[in-house]
C-alpha cells in the first residue's frame, strides 16, 4: 500500500516537473479558470489604480475651498463675470499629475530593478495616504500634498501594471484599460453620490479607503502570476534573469520566450521609443485637449439659474466625462482604431469650440443637456485614444520589447495632461480677471 502511494506520488512529481511554467501543459479547465482570474484581477487593478486620481479631480472644486469650509452648496462670489475659485482647479490637476510625470519619464530606465511586490505595496500605501491626508486637511497646501500621494500611487501603478501585462496573455491589456475606465465612472459617480446624499467631502473620502484594500486583494490574492515574475527578490545583476525563467504566460502562444526589459541596451530602448512616436504623439495631443477642457474650462461653464450649485455642476461634468471614457475604454474588443491622430483632431476641435464658447458666453444657449452630450463625446474620444494606443502597441511589439514599450508609452498621456494644467492656470486667471 505504501509503495503504491509512493509510486503515484512519484508520477505526480514527474508530471509537475514536465508542466513547469508552461500553461499549455495544464488541463484546459485549469487554464481557463486561471485566465479568467487574471482577467478579473487586471480589471480590478485598473479600477483601483486610477480611483484616487479620479476622485481628486472630481473633488478639485471642493479641495480648493477647504480654507473657507464651503464644500457643498455655496457658490463663489467675486467681481468677475465668471463664477471662479481664487485658484484654478488646474492646480489640483498639476498636483495630481506632475509626480506621475516624473515617475513615468524616469522609471522605464530603472524600474525593472525593483521587484513588483514592493512597487505595488508602495502604490497601496500612498493611495491610502492620499484619502487620509485630504480628508483631515485644514488648508489647501496640505490638501494638495494628499493629491500628490494619489499621483504617486497612480503613476507608479500605471507603469507597473502596464509592464506587468507583458507576463500574461495580451488580452489582459483590454481588461486593464476597461478597469481604468471603470475607475473614472465609479470614482466620480461615488463621490457625486455620497456628497449628494448629504455626506461631507471629507467623510466621502474616508469611505473610499476601501479601494486601497481592494487593490491589495486584487494583486496579492486574486492574480495568479507566473513563477518567473520578479516579486520579492531583487536581481543580482543586470543579466541575472535566466532565459529559462522567461516562459510564463507572456505570449498568445504560451510556448514563446520573452526577454525581460532589463536585457535591452540603451540604444535599443531609444529605437523603440522612436518607433512608438506614431502612437505617443497623438495620444499626448488628445490628453492635452481633454484635460484643458476638464480643468481649464469646466469651472467656467456655469449655469447660474438652475437648482444645481456650481460645485454640483462641476461634479456632474466630471462624472459624465468619465462615463464616456469608461464606455470607449471597454470597446476595444468590438472596435479597434489604428489612426489615433483622427481622435486627436476631433478632441482639439471640441476644446477650441468650448474655449470660444466660454469667451463669448454663448454656451448657456446650448442648455445643460447639450453641454452634457459634448462632455460625454469628449470622454469617448479620450478613452478610445488610450485603449487603442496600448492595444496597438501590445499587438505590434516584439515579445522581448513589449514590457519596456508598454511602460514607456504611458508617458505620453501624462505629458499632455501636465502641459494642459500649466496652460489652464493662466487661462483661468485671464477669464476670472474679466469684469
Amino acid at each position: 500500500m505504501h509503495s503504491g502511494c509512493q509510486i503515484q506520488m512519484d508520477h505526480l512529481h514527474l508530471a509537475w516537473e514536465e508542466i513547469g511554467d508552461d500553461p499549455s501543459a495544464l488541463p484546459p479547465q485549469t487554464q481557463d479558470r486561471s485566465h479568467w482570474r487574471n482577467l478579473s484581477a487586471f480589471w480590478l487593478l485598473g479600477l483601483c489604480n486610477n480611483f484616487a486620481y479620479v476622485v481628486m479631480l472630481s473633488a478639485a472644486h471642493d479641495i480648493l475651498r477647504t480654507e473657507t469650509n464651503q464644500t457643498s452648496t455655496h457658490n463663489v462670489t467675486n467681481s468677475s463675470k465668471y463664477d471662479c475659485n481664487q485658484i484654478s482647479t488646474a492646480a489640483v490637476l498639476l498636483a495630481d499629475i506632475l509626480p506621475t510625470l516624473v515617475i513615468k519619464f524616469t522609471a522605464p530606465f530603472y524600474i525593472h530593478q525593483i521587484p513588483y511586490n514592493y512597487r505595488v505595496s508602495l502604490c497601496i500605501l500612498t493611495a491610502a495616504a492620499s484619502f487620509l491626508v485630504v480628508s483631515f486637511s485644514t488648508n489647501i497646501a496640505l490638501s494638495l500634498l494628499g493629491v500628490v500621494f494619489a499621483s504617486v500611487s497612480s503613476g507608479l501603478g500605471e507603469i507597473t501594471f502596464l509592464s506587468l501585462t507583458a507576463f500574461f496573455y495580451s488580452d489582459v491589456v483590454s481588461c486593464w484599460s476597461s478597469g481604468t475606465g471603470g475607475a473614472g465612472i465609479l470614482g466620480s459617480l461615488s463621490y457625486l453620490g455620497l456628497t449628494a446624499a448629504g455626506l461631507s467631502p471629507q467623510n466621502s473620502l474616508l469611505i473610499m479607503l476601501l479601494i486601497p484594500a481592494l487593490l491589495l486583494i486584487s494583486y496579492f490574492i486574486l492574480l495568479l502570476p507566473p513563477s518567473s515574475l520578479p516579486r520579492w527578490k531583487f536581481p543580482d545583476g543586470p543579466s541575472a534573469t535566466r532565459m529559462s525563467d522567461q516562459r510564463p504566460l507572456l505570449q498568445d502562444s504560451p510556448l514563446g520566450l520573452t526577454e525581460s526589459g532589463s536585457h535591452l541596451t540603451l540604444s535599443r530602448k531609444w529605437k523603440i521609443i522612436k518607433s512608438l512616436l506614431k502612437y505617443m504623439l497623438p495620444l499626448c495631443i488628445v490628453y492635452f485637449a481633454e484635460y484643458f477642457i476638464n480643468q481649464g474650462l469646466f469651472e467656467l461653464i456655469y449655469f447660474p439659474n438652475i437648482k444645481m450649485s456650481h460645485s454640483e455642476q462641476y461634479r456632474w461634468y466630471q462624472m459624465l466625462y468619465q462615463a464616456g471614457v469608461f464606455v470607449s475604454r471597454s470597446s476595444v474588443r468590438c472596435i479597434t482604431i489604428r489612426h489615433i491622430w483622427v481622435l486627436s483632431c476631433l478632441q482639439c476641435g471640441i476644446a477650441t469650440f468650448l474655449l470660444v464658447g466660454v469667451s463669448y458666453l454663448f454656451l448657456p444657449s446650448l442648455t445643460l443637456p447639450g453641454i452634457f452630450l459634448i462632455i460625454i463625446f469628449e470622454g469617448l474620444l479620450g478613452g478610445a485614444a488610450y485603449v487603442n494606443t496600448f492595444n496597438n502597441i501590445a499587438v505590434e511589439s516584439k515579445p522581448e520589447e513589449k514590457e519596456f514599450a508598454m511602460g514607456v508609452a504611458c508617458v505620453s498621456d501624462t505629458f499632455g495632461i501636465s502641459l494642459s494644467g500649466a496652460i489652464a492656470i493662466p487661462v483661468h486667471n485671464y477669464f476670472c480677471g474679466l469684469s
Side-chain angles (χ1 to χ4, degrees):
M1 183 71 177
H2 174 74
S3 60
C5 290
Q6 183 63 44
I7 292 172
Q8 190 174 28
M9 290 299 295
D10 290 342
H11 280 304
L12 287 172
H13 181 71
L14 289 172
W16 180 253
E17 285 186 338
E18 289 177 1
I19 290 173
D21 285 340
D22 182 5
S24 64
L26 293 171
Q29 285 185 331
T30 303
Q31 290 184 54
D32 290 343
R33 187 162 54 249
S34 300
H35 187 51
W36 279 107
R37 275 187 63 172
N38 288 331
L39 291 176
S40 301
F42 269 96
W43 193 92
L44 289 172
L45 291 173
L47 172 75
C48 297
N49 185 71
N50 281 29
F51 201 91
Y53 169 83
V54 168
V55 168
M56 296 306 163
L57 293 182
S58 298
H61 205 261
D62 296 325
I63 289 173
L64 293 175
R65 304 168 77 178
T66 302
E67 290 182 325
T68 59
N69 238 3
Q70 297 176 334
T71 55
S72 47
T73 59
H74 297 91
N75 293 320
V76 180
T77 57
N78 51 43
S79 59
S80 172
K81 60 182 178 181
Y82 297 92
D83 190 54
C84 300
N85 274 318
Q86 185 177 3
I87 303 175
S88 169
T89 52
V92 175
L93 175 63
L94 287 177
D96 211 8
I97 203 64
L98 286 181
T100 295
L101 182 65
V102 173
I103 290 171
K104 289 185 178 181
F105 260 122
T106 60
F109 299 96
Y110 64 81
I111 197 71
H112 57 273
Q113 299 293 338
I114 305 174
Y116 278 88
N117 288 12
Y118 292 106
R119 301 189 225 170
V120 176
S121 297
L122 183 58
C123 293
I124 294 168
L125 292 174
T126 49
S130 69
F131 291 124
L132 289 170
V133 171
V134 176
S135 296
F136 292 108
S137 171
T138 56
N139 60 75
I140 292 176
L142 190 58
S143 295
L144 291 179
L145 176 62
V147 176
V148 168
F149 281 125
S151 178
V152 171
S153 175
S154 175
L156 178 61
E158 184 174 12
I159 197 167
T160 294
F161 295 127
L162 280 173
S163 298
L164 185 64
T165 62
F167 289 84
F168 297 85
Y169 288 100
S170 61
D171 55 356
V172 299
V173 175
S174 63
C175 287
W176 155 266
S177 183
S178 177
T180 59
I185 183 63
L186 293 177
S188 56
L189 186 60
S190 63
Y191 185 76
L192 173 66
L194 290 171
T195 52
L199 272 70
S200 67
Q202 291 79 11
N203 289 333
S204 299
L205 293 175
L206 287 175
I207 290 175
M208 293 174 188
L209 284 169
L210 293 171
I211 297 302
L214 181 59
L215 176 57
L216 185 150
I217 293 171
S218 302
Y219 178 78
F220 287 101
I221 298 177
L222 182 60
L223 188 69
L224 295 173
S227 60
S228 60
L229 181 73
R231 282 172 279 185
W232 291 113
K233 185 178 179 181
F234 285 89
D236 297 326
S239 60
T241 308
R242 295 175 301 166
M243 286 302 297
S244 60
D245 288 337
Q246 302 291 334
R247 195 185 59 184
L249 306 178
L250 298 175
Q251 309 303 320
D252 290 332
S253 173
L255 295 175
L257 299 177
T258 294
E259 298 180 41
S260 169
S262 60
H263 293 278
L264 301 175
T265 63
L266 188 60
S267 61
R268 191 173 179 186
K269 288 180 178 180
W270 281 116
K271 186 176 180 181
I272 295 170
I273 292 172
K274 287 190 288 185
S275 71
L276 295 176
L277 290 179
K278 62 182 178 181
Y279 294 125
M280 294 175 65
L281 288 178
L283 183 63
C284 178
I285 294 171
V286 167
Y287 270 77
F288 166 78
E290 72 182 78
Y291 275 85
F292 177 76
I293 296 170
N294 293 359
Q295 306 306 129
L297 301 180
F298 273 3
E299 186 183 2
L300 303 173
I301 303 173
Y302 171 51
F303 293 78
N305 299 317
I306 62 175
K307 292 182 179 180
M308 280 191 289
S309 69
H310 194 172
S311 291
E312 289 169 334
Q313 290 178 45
Y314 182 87
R315 295 169 197 158
W316 271 100
Y317 295 158
Q318 292 287 349
M319 189 278 293
L320 290 170
Y321 158 75
Q322 297 291 355
V325 170
F326 173 67
V327 171
S328 57
R329 286 197 180 190
S330 305
S331 66
V332 73
R333 289 177 177 269
C334 304
I335 302 173
T336 56
I337 301 172
R338 297 191 59 79
H339 301 295
I340 310 300
W341 62 268
V342 174
L343 303 176
S344 64
C345 291
L346 290 172
Q347 198 74 293
C348 288
I350 294 176
T352 302
F353 173 78
L354 292 177
L355 178 61
V356 173
V358 167
S359 301
Y360 291 95
L361 297 173
F362 66 74
L363 292 179
S365 65
L366 299 178
T367 71
L368 190 60
I371 295 297
F372 282 174
L373 289 175
I374 293 173
I375 291 172
I376 292 172
F377 184 58
E378 174 214 349
L380 288 171
L381 293 175
Y386 181 93
V387 67
N388 283 281
T389 293
F390 286 104
N391 183 67
N392 292 341
I393 292 172
V395 171
E396 296 175 10
S397 295
K398 296 178 181 178
E400 66 272 15
E401 297 176 353
K402 184 187 291 188
E403 183 181 9
F404 175 78
M406 295 295 283
V408 77
C410 65
V411 171
S412 51
D413 61 331
T414 307
F415 183 74
I417 295 171
S418 302
L419 188 60
S420 71
I423 293 177
I425 290 178
V427 170
H428 169 275
N429 293 341
Y430 168 77
F431 283 115
C432 292
L434 298 176
S435 58

